[in-house]
Amino acid sequence: MDIYQKAYDWAKTHNFEPIEIEYASKLALKMLDDSCQMSSEDRKMFFYVYDAISDREDISLDDDMNKLVLLARDRNTIYSKPQYAPIIHACRVEVIPNMLKVHMKAYKKMVRKNLGLL
């Protein structure tokens, strides 16, 4: 099994804390805006986690930011559809001041640890 499928399968059943879901969404927004300092492979892995979260019936991603992420992204890519790029960027600029690095780093570390990458 490749790491992407492993990430998806794990995220489909993991008991996420609300803050982890929030930061999964914020990371997806950053990745779509191409303002994230991760490799393409890491971005893809974290999108598989986000996709699994968005596919779950027990987790609601019904806020405006997640609706935009889901609309702006084709699941076959780690970037936004070109027509949504300016909207994604504006949303990210609005959201970034409310992001705490400590929470983002904790979310990324938690995912990597659970996938056996640490």
Side-chain angles (χ1 to χ4, degrees), residues 6-25:
K6 182 178 180 181
Y8 183 90
D9 293 345
W10 165 78
K12 281 290 280 185
T13 60
H14 181 72
N15 187 21
F16 288 96
E17 297 293 327
I19 196 157
E20 293 168 342
I21 295 168
E22 176 186 345
Y23 275 79
S25 300

Side-chain angles (χ1 to χ4, degrees), residues 45 48 67:
M45 180 191 66
Y48 269 74
K67 286 180 183 177

Side-chain angles (χ1 to χ4, degrees), residues 32-44:
L32 279 181
D33 190 44
D34 199 18
S35 63
C36 194
Q37 301 296 319
M38 289 193 293
S39 69
S40 293
E41 293 81 15
D42 275 353
R43 289 180 193 206
K44 187 175 177 181

Side-chain angles (χ1 to χ4, degrees), residues 17-24 26-27 46 98-111:
E17 297 293 327
I19 196 157
E20 293 168 342
I21 295 168
E22 176 186 345
Y23 275 79
K26 288 178 177 181
L27 181 58
F46 278 100
N98 298 323
M99 286 179 55
L100 297 176
K101 271 190 169 182
V102 66
H103 294 306
M104 183 61 76
K105 286 182 178 192
Y107 167 71
K108 290 178 185 177
K109 184 177 180 178
M110 180 276 298
V111 170

Side-chain angles (χ1 to χ4, degrees), residues 71-108:
L71 180 65
R73 181 170 162 258
D74 174 348
R75 281 196 176 193
N76 296 321
T77 182
I78 58 174
Y79 303 108
S80 68
K81 297 172 188 170
Q83 65 269 32
Y84 291 102
I87 301 166
I88 287 288
H89 180 73
C91 184
R92 188 209 37 100
V93 167
E94 184 178 319
V95 167
I96 288 298
N98 298 323
M99 286 179 55
L100 297 176
K101 271 190 169 182
V102 66
H103 294 306
M104 183 61 76
K105 286 182 178 192
Y107 167 71
K108 290 178 185 177

